[in-house]
Amino acid sequence: MDTKILIIGACGQIGTELTAKLRATYGVTNVIATDIRKLNNEVVNNGIFEVVNALDYNQIEHLIEQYHITDVYLMAALLSATAEKNPAFAWDLNMNSLFHVLNLAKAGKIKKIFWPSSIAVFGPTTPRHQTPQYTIMEPSTVYGISKQTGERWCEYYYKQYGVDVRSIRYPGLISWSTEAGGGTTDYAVDIYHKAITDGKFTSFLSENTELPMMYMDDAIKATIQIMQAPLDQIKIRSSYNLAAMSFTPKQIGAAITKHYPEFKLSYAPDFRQKIADSWPASIDDSSARADWGWTNDFDMTTMTEAMFKNLKEQVYPH
């Protein structure tokens, strides 16, 4: 049976690039992109697009039946910094959209689910360095609480009902092609833009705040890889740790000055500092590497080169 994919939240930071890669991999007609509103962008203009509210079970069920969907990628969520401003809605969106998709799989209407978790599931009591796959998880943000709860439900639906749901805990994601989306690690996206446009940047995290990061190409690769992996290789049904690199604002600033020697970096920590301080500095992802063969292609140096190359060619071409 052909793979037919439904992406919920296709216009978000990850969804945008994931949609393009899935269309290239499976064919444009086999990938149905959806989001809460219709924007004038590549996701909408380069393939099949439907307006869908992730909280509307009937809408999702209708599309699954209409397009004979086999796999659902549920990318709709309110991210860490944004969620803190609207906790009740963040909980509703992040949890009930997951329940809808899990229940549709339980009912036999879809075969496979990808649901993203995050390093936000960890908290201030978690070991900060080389955070293990299994460890203390006491998240202190609404986003983290919803992701940790989601992980428990994913594992429950797998054990109780045999639902094939797969998940990875994304670190901070860095992309040249989509705007930052209200996350605590977004300074590491914005800093590249400002290096080109302004020659200076003010970080909302302090200079030595180390966080796990990943270039978007690697995150997309991991997402598709875990979904393509044979069933018996997926041994963890909560969510897999995933890592590529860790760095501080000071370190990324130093990497940027190799390309822009005049670049100036200053610091003005805000409410996001407290969120960052509750998260790991580095991640042990040996389970993902052992179980389904995960490897990253980018480190801080190669990512910085790729970011500037793409930004100068695609975003600031003059």
Side-chain angles (χ1 to χ4, degrees), residues 128-150:
R128 291 207 67 210
H129 296 277
Q130 287 302 107
T131 300
Q133 175 67 42
Y134 299 105
T135 186
I136 297 164
M137 296 163 79
E138 295 184 319
S140 55
T141 64
V142 181
Y143 181 65
I145 293 165
S146 71
K147 288 297 182 186
Q148 191 203 11
T149 309

Side-chain angles (χ1 to χ4, degrees), residues 187 203-211 247-254 265-269 273 277:
Y187 86 87
S203 168
F204 57 71
L205 298 181
S206 63
E207 63 179 353
N208 294 318
T209 305
E210 186 184 4
L211 288 169
F247 56 74
T248 65
K250 189 177 179 180
Q251 287 169 329
I252 197 172
L265 179 57
S266 55
Y267 306 92
Q273 183 65 49
D277 289 341

